[in-house]
């Protein structure tokens, strides 16, 4: 039998349902991977082994007692970015200021995963207050890329990307305000789904910028993301933005993509570093071979979308942290603090104009892009995975230079509120992963995931594992 | 650049919010805000009188 920790979540789920493996055996396999990879990646902030054993034993006892699995996640070990609160437990949010802060309530997404029978192995590293695209963290040390520890893991859900890629857990929750699920997914070579704004509850999850924040999964495949998304999506009375969230049922993998029109965002594709093009062009070739029809599309007013998204992000983050910036400025990393000063100084009218324009920008993209295609293709990141040294930021100017190019192709989908799935499509000449995005109209997650499932079955990049 | 907000305005806004913004940082923020404002003013897409933030939720239906 192959190492169970290297299975996909769907394979592990099927094995549990068929009683071919127990939750405790899966947990033991994950703990062996953690013993191998934690020093290399620094993916975990707090490994909660005792809690995980209790949950795994409960999952096994339920099946031994004759109960059916509670769902696809029954007994499956997961871990999550350290910003989803669990009542009574520490949630650091990657910040020195919350090193010992205990949450008073439990995040709806964690409650839903608990109800689905999932096993929670602990909390994962993240950028301080989810405010960075690289995975650096001066308080808890950087998360490191399992493909090359000298390289950035991507952020802000840095530990989520590294832990899933190194097969330490079968899946992880992250959050995405400007790319924070898709960037670590792409840089670490795993799948990451940024859902439609309002599709998943943000209750008792740390806010970065409430108008843009979404919670979503990172996992080994699109199929695994679908299983996790099904468990967390849907209305929650504790988060009014989810009031109109539809129910989600994981799609069946299609035999091919005949009849599917995929729009290729030509300007975004052409902006990619030449070293990334073979992998990206290879992904397009696979989609074409599966029968998809490819057409060129262009997001209207892309620069304005990017700028307005940046304004909203900067202003809301500064508002959230204004009191702490006044009272304990030494509690922030200097570069993050310097950058947040710009949010404080941005005129209120500039922020309000960005919010007022949002509906108009979304409507234009729905008409001009998704009037022509069901799914849109573009790179996740236009530049190669940077080394941690080259992407370490010390000043606000450093942050703009390093983080700006990384979020160039991800932030627009936060401003637009649209779903986007990042999938691996190969490696650059230095052996670091390359990823692409499939974006869609509001609440088109099932369609994106179905295309992704067809793609990954054919391309097989998810079967490549760091270190072997 | 003509029209760039003075760094003293940035420092004053910081002071109003109880946060000290160093002069060099205020200078850079003022410069960046000026560039951003000029780019947005030149953009083809501008809000109309009736536009409001809740339009986004309607557009996402």
């Amino acid at each position: 039998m192959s190492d169970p920790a290297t299975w996909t979540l769907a394979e592990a789920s099927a094995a549990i349902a068929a009683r071919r493996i127990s939750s405790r055996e899966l947990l033991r396999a994950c703990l062996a991977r953690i013993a191998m990879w934690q020093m290399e990646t620094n993916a975990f902030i707090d490994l909660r082994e005792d809690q995980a054993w209790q949950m795994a034993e409960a999952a096994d006892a339920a099946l031994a007692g004759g109960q059916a699995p509670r769902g696809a996640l029954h007994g499956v070990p997961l871990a999550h970015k350290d910003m989803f609160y669990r009542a009574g437990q520490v949630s650091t949010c990657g910040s020195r200021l919350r090193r010992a802060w205990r949450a008073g309530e439990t995040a709806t997404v964690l409650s839903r995963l608990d109800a689905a029978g999932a096993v929670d192995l602990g909390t994962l590293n993240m950028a301080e207050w989810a405010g960075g695209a690289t995975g650096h963290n001066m308080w808890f040390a950087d998360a490191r890329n399992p493909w090359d520890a000298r390289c950035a893991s991507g952020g802000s859900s840095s530990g989520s990307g590294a832990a899933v890629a190194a097969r330490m857990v079968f899946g992880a929750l992250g959050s995405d305000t400007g790319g924070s699920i898709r960037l670590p997914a792409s840089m670490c070579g795993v799948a990451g789904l940024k859902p439609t704004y309002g599709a998943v509850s943000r209750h008792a999850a740390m806010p970065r910028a409430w108008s843009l924040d979404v919670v979503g999964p990172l996992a080994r495949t699109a199929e695994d993301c679908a299983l996790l998304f099904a468990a967390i999506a849907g209305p929650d009375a504790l988060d009014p933005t989810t009031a109109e969230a539809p129910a989600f049922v994981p799609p069946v993998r299609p035999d091919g993509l005949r009849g599917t029109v995929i729009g290729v965002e030509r300007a975004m594709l052409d902006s990619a570093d030449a070293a990334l093009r073979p992998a990206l062009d290879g992904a397009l070739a696979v989609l074409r071979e599966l029968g998809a029809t490819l057409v060129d599309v262009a997001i209207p007013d892309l620069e304005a979308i990017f700028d307005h998204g940046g304004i909203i992000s900067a202003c809301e983050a500064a508002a959230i942290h204004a009191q702490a910036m006044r009272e304990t400025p030494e509690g922030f990393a200097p570069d993050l603090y310097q950058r947040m000063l710009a949010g404080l100084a941005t005129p209120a009218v500039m922020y309000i104009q960005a919010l007022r324009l949002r509906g108009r920008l979304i409507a234009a993209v729905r008409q001009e892009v998704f009037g022509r295609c069901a799914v849109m293709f573009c790179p996740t990141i236009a530049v190669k995975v940077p080394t941690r040294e080259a992407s370490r930021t010390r000043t606000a100017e450093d942050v703009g230079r390093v983080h700006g190019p990384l979020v160039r192709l991800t932030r627009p989908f936060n401003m637009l509120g649209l779903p986007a799935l990042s999938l691996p499509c190969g490696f650059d000449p230095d052996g670091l992963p390359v990823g692409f995005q499939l974006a869609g109209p509001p609440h088109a997650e099932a369609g994106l995931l179905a295309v992704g499932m067809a793609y990954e079955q054919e391309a097989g990049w998810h079967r490549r594992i760091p270190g072997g | 650049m003509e029209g760039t907000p003075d760094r003293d305005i940035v420092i004053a806004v910081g002071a109003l919010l109880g946060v000290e913004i160093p002069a060099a940082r205020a200078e850079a923020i003022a410069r960046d805000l000026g560039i951003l404002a000029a780019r947005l003013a030149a953009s083809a897409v501008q809000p109309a009188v009736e536009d409001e933030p809740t339009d986004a939720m309607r557009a996402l239906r």
Side-chain angles (χ1 to χ4, degrees), chain A residues 244 301 303-304 307-308 311 326 337-338 341-342 344-345 350 353 355-357 359-360 362 366 396-397 416-417 442, chain B residues 10 13 17-19 21 25 28-29 33 36-37 39-40 43 45-49 51 53 55-57 59-61:
Chain A
E244 297 181 10
D301 302 306
E303 190 172 34
D307 282 342
H308 287 297
I311 291 168
R326 267 196 305 273
Y337 181 85
Q338 292 290 318
L341 291 176
L344 288 183
M350 203 178 258
Q353 297 295 56
L355 290 174
R356 292 177 70 227
L357 262 176
R360 184 181 291 271
I362 295 168
R366 291 190 71 170
E397 286 70 26
L416 296 167
Chain B
V10 172
V13 170
L17 296 170
V19 175
I21 302 181
R25 181 68 188 126
I29 290 171
L33 280 173
L36 178 62
R39 199 159 61 226
L40 294 176
S43 169
V45 59
Q46 299 292 336
V49 170
D51 289 343
D55 293 348
M57 293 309 284
L60 285 174
R61 282 185 188 141

Side-chain angles (χ1 to χ4, degrees), chain A residues 255-261 287 289-293:
Chain A
D255 283 339
L257 296 176
R258 264 173 293 284
T260 301
V261 178
L287 293 168
E289 285 164 16
L290 285 164
T293 300

Side-chain angles (χ1 to χ4, degrees), chain A residues 368-439:
Chain A
E368 294 186 34
V369 175
F370 297 110
R372 300 188 57 217
C373 63
V375 173
M376 200 202 81
F377 175 102
C378 66
T380 305
I381 311 171
V383 296
K384 292 169 63 181
V385 177
T387 64
R388 288 188 294 118
E389 187 51 39
S391 56
R392 194 173 304 285
T393 55
R394 295 175 178 84
T395 66
E397 286 70 26
D398 282 349
V399 173
R401 176 179 55 77
V402 169
H403 293 227
L406 290 173
V407 302
R408 174 65 53 180
L409 307 184
T410 51
R411 184 194 286 165
F413 301 106
N414 298 86
M415 179 61 188
L416 296 167
L418 301 178
L421 172 68
S422 180
L423 291 176
C425 61
F427 296 84
D428 70 19
D430 295 328
L432 274 301
V434 180
F436 69 90
Q437 295 181 92
L438 297 172

